[in-house]
Amino acid sequence: MPAKGVAIVSARAELVVVGGGVVGLAIAWQAAQAGTNVTVVDPAAGEAASWVAAGMLAPASESWFGEEALLRLNLLAVDRFRAFAAALETATGADIGLRRDGTLAVSYDSGDRAALARSAALRRAYGLPVEELDRAQCRRLEPFLSADVQGGVLAAGDWSVDNRRYLAALRRAVTDAGAGQLTGRVARLEVVADRVAGVTLTDGHMVAAETVVLAAGAWSGSIDGVPEPVRRGVRPVKGQLLRLRLPQRMPPVLQRTVRATVRGFDVYLVPRTDGEVVVGATVEERGFDRTVTAAAVHDLLRDAMTLVPVLGELVLAEMCVGLRPGTADNGPIVGGTDVDGLIVATGHYRNGVLQSAATAEAVMAVLTGAPLPAEWAPFTGRTAVYPPAARWPIWSRWSPARSRASPSPSTARWCPAAPGPTPGSPTVTESKS
Amino acid sequence: MLTDGVSADHAPVDDGLAGDVDPLVIAGRAFASRLIVGTGGAPSLDVLARVLRASGTGLTTVAMRRVDPDGGGSVLDAVRAAGVEILPNTAGCRTAGEALLTARLAREALGTSWVKLEVVHDDHTLLPDPVELLDAARLLVDDGFVVLPYTNDDPVLARRLEQVGCAAVMPLGSPIGSGLGIRNPHNIAMIVERASVPVVLDAGIGTASDAAQAMELGCAAVLVASAVTRAADPERMAVAMRHAVLAGRCARLAGRIPRRWHAQASSPVDGLLGRP
């Protein structure tokens, strides 16, 4: 380890992306395609949430009260993902396992049915298409559903993708586009006079760069030199999930993602093309703990088998743990910062895969000084930090899909200590007399 | 005149009766607010922070089995940032042994010997297991804890819990998260009548009127979680609960009229001017 203050500049790039999960790689691919010299730095320790995620692209199913702004962003994200996925499959020849059969939310007992009705009413209030099905209709769609299922709601636009295939395709695309991928863990962001200079790894090597994109997921807050709002704004939220595999000679048991509240507990079942079923997930505030607990496995299996009893015949192939990057309002943190050359693209919480393509588009817009889609307004701080294309002539090859409204003013929404009203959220009017 | 501004410093909400401070006192500690908020079910930390502020609460429960006290940036941080005291609870425990273990871990991590004791029989009903609960209460009191037990609405069990040294009793109105309100007001009234420790109605509150009813029955405080955290607008429901607790308490202290079978005119019928 070199003496403090003396860094070995081992490498140099125009753009360093910290974090090689779906978000970091999507950004790196876009930047590399635009001709930038990009290096992605990732510990390759198998810890990324991207490796574990179920891959649901589900704005409607994930919608909740008071989170309309996030819903709008997720709808934009699904739209961007479709085009992005097609381009990725064309570029790499890979099949990323995109499933377009929609998501069926079902209810089990009467309390669950009331909860689902409430959710359906909320989706209608948000202007989302809602198709309510009775028990028979649900079981025609999914014959292996338990006879105790009361009914359901189909969200035709809520798809899924195989997260591992998607990740592999992104890695390939990034390599093919000429970007470098460096194995290492970033310990510190190097900042000189409010300008980013590069990153230093835990082994002491430094990668110098004019621009750094922070896409380190749950670890974004743990890197030295990262601005305060990000350091305090991102926290790990543990999720445990299971992967079940079909035994020999058994056909796939699910056609589409099934989500449910089973006696009050949330569970989802996401089928893959090869018949694998992902069962998830817990939501736990346990810091960086990544242990699999007996209760989580028991409860997930209990609820999955209550819904689809035949799942008991599948092989319990994997018990996974991931760390979602959580934020105070469950929305991502994407945009410029007070440090010139530093862009953040993190805090994606439950929606990393879903929001990866839209995030890549947003980051490219920030880099070129182009306006971001309006849906990003509540989730971005300072947007265009840099002067426009003149400074980096290569960026002029990137043309935003269509012109949008001007960038939104900065919002101080990252700081958990001073929560204020966020745009779009209901405000409580209290008379002071 | 009632004010309904949010008081971030948790000062008692002015009920217009000058000089009439009416704090909640548990184990010798005074709290300005008679509303205790549970954190379970909050959809985001942002919502939790706003709920805590809007509720005016001074005390909040956190399930220690589900939250790592060393985990940064999480529920505990949000509660601390709101300036609210943390009351650890033993949610998820089925046996007295587990409850003692969880309480000790919480005491070590948070530095408080206060604990809300929950010992339930199963995941589905979430009803307290009375036998295990009483055993656990004895164990914890003997271990130096200030015990606030979540119990059912049985007046005899409430008495027993008080006898073993609990600092309060917290009977349910109805099952956790059910929103069914107070199923047996008669029992709650009997518990209040015979208790010499504060009675905190805990579980089953669904909306503001349930909280007001609890206070009118003579409860010293109410604990609300799901009714607020799972409401469509949690912050607004927190405001509602704050007012409801104040309203119910004032009504209790004001001394209501008795219920009558027949009418009683509010003005006298004799001596009216101009009456034919």
Side-chain angles (χ1 to χ4, degrees):
Chain A
M1 190 80 168
K4 193 176 160 102
V6 179
I8 305 168
V9 179
S10 326
R12 203 172 276 283
E14 284 179 86
L15 172 64
V16 162
V17 177
V18 180
V22 290
V23 170
L25 290 175
I27 294 166
W29 183 42
Q30 297 299 283
Q33 281 189 309
T36 317
N37 181 317
V38 185
T39 295
V40 178
V41 183
D42 187 272
E47 297 171 325
S50 300
W51 179 246
V52 157
M56 292 182 291
L57 311 170
S61 308
E62 293 271 326
S63 64
W64 191 246
F65 297 96
E67 293 186 349
E68 184 167 2
L70 183 57
L71 169 65
R72 300 293 160 213
L73 181 67
N74 284 342
L75 290 169
L76 172 81
V78 135
D79 177 70
R80 294 302 192 258
F81 191 89
R82 289 171 188 170
F84 189 88
L88 183 63
E89 286 185 324
T90 304
T92 60
D95 169 12
I96 62 170
L98 188 62
R99 294 183 69 112
R100 302 172 176 79
D101 295 271
T103 293
L104 179 63
V106 300
S107 59
Y108 189 73
D109 70 17
S110 55
D112 303 325
R113 193 170 70 188
L116 186 59
R118 194 186 190 210
S119 171
L122 177 66
R123 293 185 203 186
R124 282 199 185 92
Y126 281 149
L128 297 168
V130 172
E131 195 184 335
E132 290 189 88
L133 307 173
D134 63 23
R135 169 184 309 175
Q137 289 168 315
C138 288
R139 298 183 76 220
R140 264 200 295 281
L141 284 182
E142 297 292 346
F144 290 103
L145 274 176
S146 160
D148 293 332
V149 160
Q150 301 233 359
V153 173
L154 183 64
D158 280 6
W159 296 357
S160 76
V161 69
D162 185 324
N163 65 304
R164 291 177 177 177
R165 291 205 200 183
Y166 179 46
L167 197 55
L170 278 172
R171 280 186 189 133
R172 209 149 114 222
V174 164
T175 309
D176 290 351
Q181 293 183 62
L182 184 61
T183 300
R185 188 181 295 275
V186 171
R188 192 169 61 248
L189 209 61
E190 299 297 345
V191 176
V192 177
D194 280 332
R195 223 209 168 285
V196 91
V199 298
T200 300
L201 311 187
T202 48
D203 62 9
H205 290 97
M206 179 183 163
V207 182
E210 300 170 7
T211 310
V212 172
V213 174
L214 179 63
W219 293 269
S220 291
S222 313
I223 297 170
D224 276 350
V226 159
E228 188 77 358
V230 176
R231 228 167 35 74
R232 291 168 57 209
V234 179
R235 75 185 192 281
V237 180
K238 178 181 177 186
Q240 299 187 55
L241 59 171
L242 309 173
R243 277 163 157 81
L244 307 180
R245 301 220 170 104
L246 286 178
Q248 295 270 19
R249 285 191 287 279
M250 190 169 181
V253 297
L254 287 175
Q255 303 310 306
R256 61 186 53 70
T257 299
V258 173
R259 296 171 69 118
T261 315
V262 179
R263 300 203 200 94
F265 292 95
D266 291 336
V267 69
Y268 56 71
L269 311 169
V270 185
R272 301 283 192 235
T273 354
D274 62 2
E276 176 183 272
V277 178
V278 180
V279 179
T282 65
V283 180
E284 305 169 72
E285 304 271 348
R286 296 225 156 255
F288 285 93
D289 176 70
R290 293 180 67 244
T291 54
V292 174
T293 60
V297 175
H298 168 271
D299 291 352
L300 287 170
L301 285 176
R302 174 198 65 197
D303 296 336
M305 288 167 59
T306 299
L307 266 186
V308 180
V310 78
L311 287 177
E313 300 299 309
L314 271 63
V315 175
L316 176 57
E318 225 181 304
M319 298 172 293
C320 316
V321 183
L323 297 174
R324 307 174 183 88
T327 58
D329 64 359
N330 300 340
I333 304 175
V334 173
T337 64
D338 288 337
V339 176
D340 266 349
L342 175 65
I343 300 174
V344 292
T346 189
H348 291 82
Y349 193 44
R350 300 169 66 95
N351 301 305
V353 173
L354 168 61
Q355 293 170 354
S356 54
T359 301
E361 180 194 62
V363 168
M364 294 307 291
V366 172
L367 287 168
T368 57
L372 270 66
E375 289 89 338
W376 279 105
F379 305 106
T380 187
R382 301 174 52 195
T383 51
V385 181
Y386 312 101
R391 184 162 169 194
W392 289 283
I394 49 160
W395 296 121
S396 62
R397 278 190 242 160
W398 171 266
S399 48
R402 61 199 87 123
S403 64
R404 301 281 194 163
S406 52
S408 37
S410 81
T411 54
R413 63 166 272 287
W414 298 344
C415 180
T422 49
S425 68
T427 45
V428 179
T429 314
E430 300 180 77
S431 60
K432 298 193 192 310
S433 50
Chain B
M1 175 155 42
L2 275 172
T3 61
D4 50 5
V6 175
S7 57
D9 60 354
H10 310 296
V13 177
D14 178 14
D15 65 359
L17 302 173
D20 194 6
V21 176
D22 175 38
L24 166 68
V25 180
I26 302 177
R29 287 214 45 197
F31 299 92
S33 168
R34 292 178 176 272
L35 174 61
I36 303 172
V37 171
T39 53
S44 71
L45 294 189
D46 186 45
V47 167
L48 179 62
R50 289 190 274 130
V51 157
L52 292 176
R53 218 174 32 173
S55 70
T57 188
L59 191 60
T60 288
T61 57
V62 177
M64 293 315 288
R65 264 189 164 186
R66 292 174 198 140
V67 171
D68 177 1
D70 301 321
S74 76
V75 174
L76 292 175
D77 280 1
V79 176
R80 286 185 190 114
V84 176
E85 295 239 17
I86 298 169
L87 175 62
N89 78 29
T90 64
C93 290
R94 302 281 177 85
T95 64
E98 286 171 70
L100 182 60
L101 178 64
T102 305
R104 281 177 170 168
L105 288 171
R107 178 166 58 187
E108 197 183 305
L110 300 177
T112 175
S113 57
W114 283 48
V115 65
K116 183 192 151 188
L117 177 60
E118 282 186 33
V119 183
V120 298
H121 179 259
D122 63 79
D123 256 347
H124 192 32
T125 63
L126 291 177
L127 289 173
D129 179 331
V131 176
E132 281 303 300
L133 177 66
L134 197 53
D135 283 347
R138 268 193 211 103
L139 278 178
L140 266 65
V141 168
D142 288 347
D143 208 54
F145 285 96
V146 173
V147 180
L148 284 65
Y150 156 65
T151 179
N152 58 28
D153 53 13
D154 175 1
V156 175
L157 179 57
R159 195 87 188 97
R160 290 276 181 248
L161 287 164
E162 191 185 320
Q163 282 168 348
V164 301
C166 291
V169 287
M170 305 181 72
L172 53 75
S174 53
I176 292 173
S178 68
L180 292 172
I182 299 174
R183 295 313 266 172
N184 197 337
H186 185 206
N187 276 25
I188 299 296
M190 283 201 285
I191 292 172
V192 166
E193 190 180 44
R194 299 161 74 192
S196 35
V197 292
V199 178
V200 179
L201 193 108
D202 173 19
I205 287 179
T207 188
S209 46
D210 299 331
Q213 185 189 15
M215 300 306 289
E216 286 170 12
L217 287 168
C219 292
V222 303
L223 194 154
V224 183
S226 298
V228 168
T229 58
R230 296 196 163 102
D233 186 342
E235 190 177 0
R236 193 179 292 263
M237 186 58 88
V239 172
M241 289 296 174
R242 188 168 175 213
H243 288 294
V245 168
L246 180 64
R249 178 66 178 173
C250 281
R252 173 78 177 183
L253 294 178
R256 61 156 297 153
I257 55 170
R259 289 183 170 87
R260 296 173 59 88
W261 190 249
H262 292 295
Q264 176 182 41
S266 37
S267 319
V269 296
D270 307 318
L272 281 178
L273 292 173
R275 186 180 161 89

